[in-house]
Amino acid sequence: MKSSLSFPHKTQPNAAPESVPLAVPLLDLRRQYDGLRADVLAAIARVCDSQSFILGPEVEALEREIAALTGAACAVGCASGTEALWLALVAAGVKPGDSVITTPFSFFASASAIVRAGATPVFVDVDPGTLNLDATLVGRRLRDRQATPTKPGNVRAILPVHLYGQCADMDRFDRIVHEDAQEFGVAIVEDAAQAIGAEWRGRGAGSLGITAAFSFYPTKNLSAYGDAGIVTTSCPGMAEHMRQLRNHGSPRRYYHHEFGWNGRMDAIQAAVLRVKLGHIANWNRRRQQHAATYDRLFAESGLTSGPASNRTSNQTSGQISNQLNPPVRLLARSPQAKHVFHQYVIRAQRRDELRKFLADRKIGSEIYYPLPLHLQPVFSYLGLKAGDLPVSEKAAREVLALPMFPELTEAEIQSVVESIAEFYS
Ligand SMILES: Cc1ncc(COP(=O)(O)O)c(C=O)c1O
């Protein structure tokens, strides 16, 4: 492995044209499968042999194992991350007519689950460094809103998303809930869909709020062979409520106390997830190593101003850009967070042109997310318009996720960074 890169625009201005860069997929699940095939197929066979396909011992075992991993007392397996969010919100006490504060810079489900619980999403802008929900703005919004009883809906919960695998600022959300807004009984519900294994001050994502939702969608760090999700909580009463809700609100077969839904988890998904769970710590470590390699190569290339870990979320990327205006900027890393790099995301000048340039070289990339939620047509009833949440809107124009998965090689990361350097040369 090469320890450093050569970048044509910096070190070899008169060099001959480069050889064809290595193609790099955004994600290659087959490499993971190749290493796990025998174990996964044996786990699926175990379920087939048992003829027990929904909930049952595999799901219960997975629930215990995920609870142990996150540090929450209980976990409740369900059909998807979207379902998990709905369960988490309803168990936390969100009711029709309530409001829930969340980020506009996330996957749609973070907000649609609020609507499905009968509540109204209140979008508050994100921190310009981490792109996670901005706790200062949330505190301000909460004070304004609670002080204005004529506005519709009580804020019942705050739903921060641990975006790209890095926890939102849980110190400040805790302070808001336990000090500033204690009298209002506001709950924190974590959207931890992208953050299995992440931590905040050594505490696991999933144990930081009253309830938390995880997704096992096939692209996630811990992924099923289909749709699946799980909710964690340290409140046994809420766990029991969610067990009923995921099964038609039924505490006992054919008796129904409230309207639930079919949100159950398949045993085959649980069995596959249990095989993969044994690898998640190592896979997350590999992702962290890849992120460090990207950081280093970007810094060596002169494309960025230096490793992102030197920055705190208080330093905005806007300030950095004003100082140096590098073509590529890295997101801030909170020192309290153990980031599990579900995605490695840069902010890039001329982002869409860069993406096309990379695609022409068969280098995968993706935009998470191109249109913030407050500007989605389906949320027009909230009355928000372009310019209302400018940090999210700017991020949507600049972010680009680069290839990131545990089996990625250093040569592939070099190819990605060299190609980006070539684009800006
Ligand atoms: C932040 C976030 N929330 C919720 C979800 C929904 O999860 P699922 O696709 O498993 O329903 C996802 C997954 O894409 C996500 O990234």
Side-chain angles (χ1 to χ4, degrees):
M1 277 191 257
K2 280 192 275 177
S3 62
S4 66
L5 287 171
S6 57
F7 293 91
H9 70 296
K10 294 225 93 183
T11 54
Q12 302 174 342
N14 302 317
E18 295 280 293
S19 56
V20 180
L22 192 60
V24 190
L26 181 66
L27 169 66
D28 184 357
L29 282 172
R30 177 154 286 279
R31 293 187 209 178
Q32 186 191 73
Y33 178 61
D34 287 345
L36 297 177
R37 192 170 180 279
D39 291 347
V40 162
L41 294 182
I44 292 173
R46 190 170 68 229
V47 175
C48 294
D49 289 344
S50 78
Q51 291 289 295
S52 172
F53 295 112
I54 294 173
L55 300 177
E58 291 287 348
V59 173
E60 286 163 22
L62 178 73
E63 290 174 343
R64 284 192 297 276
E65 289 161 8
I66 293 285
L69 175 80
T70 60
C74 316
V76 179
C78 61
S80 68
T82 306
E83 191 69 35
L85 276 169
W86 175 74
L87 290 168
L89 287 162
V90 175
V94 173
K95 295 185 187 56
D98 289 340
S99 296
V100 176
I101 294 179
T102 195
T103 163
F105 199 62
S106 180
F107 180 62
F108 181 64
S110 307
S112 65
I114 295 170
V115 177
R116 190 177 157 214
T120 303
V122 176
F123 292 118
V124 170
D125 217 345
V126 295
D127 174 272
T130 61
L131 303 184
N132 270 320
L133 182 61
D134 188 323
T136 305
L137 296 180
V138 170
R140 204 174 295 158
R141 184 61 182 262
L142 206 50
R143 280 191 297 277
D144 291 353
R145 206 165 172 92
Q146 301 291 13
T148 319
T150 50
K151 286 194 177 156
N154 285 330
V155 176
R156 184 74 53 205
I158 302 168
L159 189 137
V161 177
H162 303 321
L163 191 71
Y164 306 144
Q166 174 169 237
C167 287
D169 187 340
M170 298 309 292
D171 290 352
R172 295 167 81 192
F173 286 118
D174 269 352
R175 214 173 306 134
I176 287 170
V177 167
H178 294 116
E179 294 171 21
D180 305 354
Q182 195 182 12
E183 63 203 279
F184 303 116
V186 177
I188 294 181
V189 175
E190 298 169 73
D191 183 340
Q194 304 182 358
I196 189 93
E199 294 177 2
W200 181 266
R201 289 192 190 280
R203 289 171 57 210
S207 70
L208 305 167
I210 195 157
T211 52
F214 290 90
S215 164
F216 300 129
Y217 184 75
T219 60
K220 295 292 192 275
N221 290 26
L222 179 63
S223 60
Y225 280 9
D227 274 315
I230 210 162
V231 200
T232 52
T233 180
S234 287
C235 174
M238 288 186 189
E240 191 45 41
H241 189 191
M242 292 190 281
R243 285 183 209 289
Q244 293 181 20
L245 284 170
R246 76 174 168 185
N247 198 15
H248 296 290
S250 169
R252 177 155 80 95
R253 216 167 194 192
Y254 306 127
Y255 291 83
H256 304 272
H257 290 184
E258 64 182 317
F259 287 104
W261 204 250
N262 175 359
R264 299 175 301 233
M265 180 188 267
D266 287 352
I268 284 181
Q269 301 308 339
V272 170
L273 287 162
R274 292 183 66 209
V275 170
K276 294 192 177 192
L277 198 52
H279 300 272
I280 190 67
N282 183 41
W283 288 341
N284 281 344
R285 240 186 330 270
R286 296 286 300 152
R287 287 172 181 271
Q288 289 164 342
Q289 287 163 357
H290 296 331
T293 303
Y294 269 122
D295 289 353
R296 176 174 57 78
L297 296 181
F298 275 126
E300 286 172 10
S301 73
L303 288 168
T304 58
S305 52
S309 49
N310 289 349
R311 276 183 259 147
T312 69
S313 60
N314 291 334
Q315 289 176 284
T316 68
S317 43
Q319 287 164 344
I320 288 152
S321 144
N322 288 344
Q323 284 163 20
L324 299 166
N325 201 24
V328 170
R329 283 173 295 141
L330 308 182
L331 302 193
R333 315 267 165 78
S334 307
Q336 305 90 332
K338 177 181 153 194
H339 194 325
V340 292
F341 293 97
H342 171 54
Q343 302 294 345
Y344 184 88
V345 173
I346 60 170
R347 302 181 74 149
Q349 288 181 14
R350 293 158 50 218
R351 189 265 319 268
D352 295 339
E353 282 174 66
L354 171 62
R355 185 158 190 239
K356 179 165 183 330
F357 182 90
L358 294 175
D360 289 345
R361 280 157 182 71
K362 301 207 174 343
I363 292 176
S365 66
E366 189 49 272
I367 299 167
Y368 305 112
Y369 297 94
L371 185 65
L373 297 175
H374 67 289
L375 300 180
Q376 298 285 349
V378 73
F379 284 121
S380 60
Y381 71 95
L382 295 174
L384 292 165
K385 55 184 188 323
D388 284 346
L389 300 172
V391 183
S392 299
E393 292 166 31
K394 188 165 192 289
R397 292 191 293 271
E398 294 179 352
V399 291
L400 192 66
L402 302 178
M404 173 55 85
F405 49 97
E407 301 79 12
L408 197 63
T409 66
E410 183 157 339
E412 288 175 317
I413 299 174
Q414 283 182 341
S415 175
V416 176
V417 179
E418 279 176 355
S419 296
I420 294 174
E422 197 185 327
F423 173 77
Y424 289 113
S425 65

